[in-house]
Amino acid sequence: MKQTFLLFIAYKGTAYHGFQVQKNSVTVCSVFQDALQAVLGQRVDVKGCSRTDAGVHALEFGISFAAETRLAPQRLVLALNAHLPADVRVLRGRCVPEGFHARYAAHAKTYCYRIRNSAIDSPFDADYCHKIAQPRLDVSAMNRAAALLVGRHDFTALCSAGSKMLESGDTVRTITDCHVQRSGDCVTISVTADGYLYNMVRILAGTLAQVGAGKMQPEQIPAILQSRDRANAGPTLPAKGLFLTKVDYGREFDD
Amino acid sequence: MKQTFLLFIAYKGTAYHGFQVQKNSVTVCSVFQDALQAVLGQRVDVKGCSRTDAGVHALEFGISFAAETRLAPQRLVLALNAHLPADVRVLRGRCVPEGFHARYAAHAKTYCYRIRNSAIDSPFDADYCHKIAQPRLDVSAMNRAAALLVGRHDFTALCSAGSKMLESGDTVRTITDCHVQRSGDCVTISVTADGYLYNMVRILAGTLAQVGAGKMQPEQIPAILQSRDRANAGPTLPAKGLFLTKVDYGREFDD
């Protein structure tokens, strides 16, 4: 019996070369396919909701695949967790219509970028945040800049130069939410959009960090976007602070 | 110039055989003494606020020592962090009167015990919580039991059998706060006391977990304490879920 599944997984990305299968590299997708093979006896083609970079983490990442099996999704979840490494866990799963694609079916995705804003590192958090020792980031200014990023814009200025995405000319995305919060020494940038250009969240985080440090003004954001010039935005912050936190497939597939 | 220092450190305990120096084992105290030696050129006698077990973590752990140096505490903090491994960090420091002892000067210490109450592990949290897959713990019952532990009691029933502390006969402690909170799949037990018997928090957590699972009733707590019999309490939960979170030295030494 052929069934199509949508599974949500979480992973610590530190040990992986991103999600997408690559030759000669261990990726989240490849260890997941290994686990599926152990459970189902088949090598299955797996679609992920995003091509996260090496070192990026996910609290909730959607994957879809079709497989010849009678296993119910709940059984499949438990069986896969018994075969996956501890840094990749399946959270839950469901059946979806044939042809469902974890990437194309996503209405929106939310990412968080975590900055430790302290001269003192945390012994617990080194793999999960980028350190900006000083100055103390101005979260209020960062939020004014974040508000100016919300909306339908051409985000070429926040895309790594040389990306294939730029060749396609499809560089307009809609950010529906972007805000910044401080909790003690941790500053978290949250962004929700219908899609992202290559490295867009890490460059967006680097730009807001420049604003927080007083090196850019919030009012510069519209001109940066209009310039469509990567050089005008802030630096690409390291992958380890980035988490995919939510994938929205719409009410129909909400559990 | 001889100065006495009180420093607060944080550490991930996973790689250490507890705080206290032991022969042929790497302990938090021994790596701290190595760092002090690198900075000051002296092997210094260091007192810790607690003898945490192997694998136990600390968000705030007080240590005191006297050393021949002109370094201001803030300078010493930065210098030590440059020499300590990433899983041990000095948070802050101050000078204290000669003879100050990090353990005897503590008025109270607060510990947290973290339980992951889910069939699915977290890829991020495995070193920092104990898993109880099921049943869903009854936090309200755990809080009723916790309230019955508050006060001045003989806690022999919550002390590992064979401990030297039992020989001394000094088994009365005062718990000033004990409560349980759930945040999603994480159940956290918090306890504040003027002192603790050997393994007391891990046995207390095991006892409250039994209550949460419906295997003990909150009303049994007074009889368990009165019995002074370790066998009547719950199991000793693993070290990795335990965090020392706060050491209270009184207002005088509050920064």
Side-chain angles (χ1 to χ4, degrees):
Chain A
M1 178 169 90
K2 194 95 172 175
Q3 297 189 94
T4 303
F5 295 93
L6 167 62
L7 265 51
F8 289 98
I9 67 174
Y11 57 84
K12 176 179 181 178
T14 312
Y16 298 99
H17 287 262
F19 179 80
Q20 200 77 354
V21 168
Q22 290 176 34
K23 267 189 188 165
N24 306 319
S25 289
V26 179
T27 67
V28 177
C29 188
S30 69
V31 300
F32 188 81
Q33 287 181 307
D34 293 347
L36 267 179
Q37 187 154 19
V39 172
L40 302 178
Q42 313 156 41
R43 194 75 186 172
V44 173
D45 186 29
V46 168
K47 304 297 181 192
C49 66
S50 164
R51 296 178 182 173
T52 60
D53 292 330
V56 174
H57 316 289
L59 299 183
E60 187 186 287
F61 184 104
I63 53 179
S64 60
F65 56 90
E68 201 62 52
T69 177
R70 292 185 172 278
L71 275 179
Q74 292 78 355
R75 287 282 180 142
L76 188 57
V77 167
L78 295 176
L80 285 168
N81 279 333
H83 286 89
L84 283 164
D87 51 8
V88 181
R89 294 287 95 186
V90 186
L91 306 174
R92 61 187 192 279
R94 53 170 297 160
C95 287
V96 285
E98 199 186 329
F100 184 97
H101 189 298
R103 189 154 152 232
Y104 303 132
H107 297 198
K109 283 177 286 198
T110 301
Y111 284 90
C112 280
Y113 195 93
R114 299 179 73 239
I115 296 168
R116 185 166 168 86
N117 190 200
S118 165
I120 314 280
D121 290 327
S122 156
F124 309 103
D125 225 13
D127 286 341
Y128 305 122
C129 57
H130 169 58
K131 180 165 90 163
I132 297 181
Q134 52 181 351
R136 188 173 166 90
L137 297 173
D138 179 347
V139 168
S140 162
M142 292 170 80
N143 269 315
R144 289 200 303 279
L148 293 166
L149 290 165
V150 172
R152 184 173 158 85
H153 301 290
D154 182 329
F155 285 105
T156 300
L158 303 186
C159 179
S160 278
S163 161
K164 280 186 191 166
M165 284 186 176
L166 296 177
E167 292 169 23
S168 74
D170 175 22
T171 52
V172 174
R173 298 289 185 277
T174 301
I175 293 183
T176 50
D177 179 66
C178 186
H179 67 273
V180 186
Q181 283 179 298
R182 174 185 287 278
S183 171
D185 290 333
C186 187
V187 173
T188 302
I189 297 165
S190 177
V191 56
T192 302
D194 60 352
Y196 296 88
L197 305 184
Y198 187 56
N199 278 342
M200 179 167 149
V201 185
R202 290 164 59 186
I203 298 170
L204 181 152
T207 305
L208 293 186
Q210 293 286 85
V211 171
K215 294 174 192 164
M216 278 186 190
Q217 300 307 312
E219 297 70 32
Q220 291 175 252
I221 294 290
I224 292 169
L225 293 179
Q226 277 156 32
S227 76
R228 301 180 72 243
D229 183 353
R230 166 73 190 89
N232 290 329
T236 307
L237 296 191
K240 64 179 184 169
L242 185 60
F243 289 75
L244 175 58
T245 58
K246 191 172 166 46
V247 193
D248 179 6
Y249 289 109
R251 251 199 207 164
E252 195 187 343
F253 299 106
D254 222 10
D255 272 327
Chain B
M1 179 169 89
K2 193 97 173 174
Q3 298 188 93
T4 304
F5 296 93
L6 167 62
L7 265 51
F8 289 97
I9 66 174
Y11 56 86
K12 175 179 182 179
T14 313
Y16 298 100
H17 287 263
F19 179 81
Q20 200 77 356
V21 168
Q22 290 175 35
K23 268 189 190 166
N24 306 320
S25 289
V26 179
T27 67
V28 176
C29 188
S30 70
V31 300
F32 188 81
Q33 286 180 307
D34 293 345
L36 267 179
Q37 188 153 19
V39 173
L40 302 178
Q42 314 156 39
R43 195 76 187 170
V44 173
D45 187 29
V46 168
K47 304 297 182 191
C49 67
S50 164
R51 296 179 182 172
T52 60
D53 293 329
V56 174
H57 317 289
L59 299 184
E60 187 188 288
F61 184 103
I63 54 179
S64 61
F65 56 90
E68 200 64 50
T69 178
R70 292 185 172 278
L71 276 180
Q74 292 77 354
R75 288 281 181 144
L76 188 58
V77 168
L78 294 177
L80 286 168
N81 278 334
H83 286 88
L84 282 164
D87 51 8
V88 181
R89 294 287 94 186
V90 186
L91 306 174
R92 60 186 192 279
R94 52 170 298 160
C95 286
V96 287
E98 199 187 328
F100 183 99
H101 190 298
R103 185 152 154 234
Y104 303 132
H107 297 197
K109 282 176 288 197
T110 301
Y111 285 91
C112 280
Y113 196 93
R114 299 178 73 239
I115 297 169
R116 185 165 168 88
N117 191 199
S118 165
I120 313 280
D121 290 326
S122 157
F124 309 103
D125 224 15
D127 287 340
Y128 304 122
C129 58
H130 168 59
K131 180 165 92 165
I132 298 182
Q134 52 180 352
R136 188 173 165 89
L137 296 173
D138 179 346
V139 168
S140 161
M142 292 170 80
N143 269 314
R144 290 200 302 279
L148 293 166
L149 290 165
V150 172
R152 185 174 157 84
H153 301 291
D154 183 329
F155 285 104
T156 299
L158 303 186
C159 179
S160 279
S163 161
K164 278 184 190 166
M165 284 186 177
L166 296 176
E167 291 169 21
S168 74
D170 174 22
T171 51
V172 173
R173 297 290 185 276
T174 301
I175 293 183
T176 50
D177 178 66
C178 186
H179 66 273
V180 186
Q181 283 179 297
R182 174 185 288 277
S183 170
D185 289 333
C186 187
V187 172
T188 302
I189 298 164
S190 176
V191 57
T192 303
D194 61 350
Y196 295 88
L197 305 182
Y198 188 57
N199 278 343
M200 181 166 148
V201 185
R202 290 164 59 185
I203 298 170
L204 181 151
T207 305
L208 293 186
Q210 293 285 86
V211 170
K215 294 175 191 162
M216 279 185 189
Q217 299 307 311
E219 298 69 32
Q220 290 175 253
I221 294 290
I224 292 169
L225 293 179
Q226 277 157 31
S227 75
R228 302 180 71 243
D229 183 352
R230 167 72 190 89
N232 291 330
T236 308
L237 296 191
K240 64 179 184 170
L242 185 60
F243 288 75
L244 176 58
T245 57
K246 191 173 165 45
V247 193
D248 178 5
Y249 289 109
R251 250 198 208 168
E252 196 186 344
F253 300 106
D254 223 8
D255 273 328

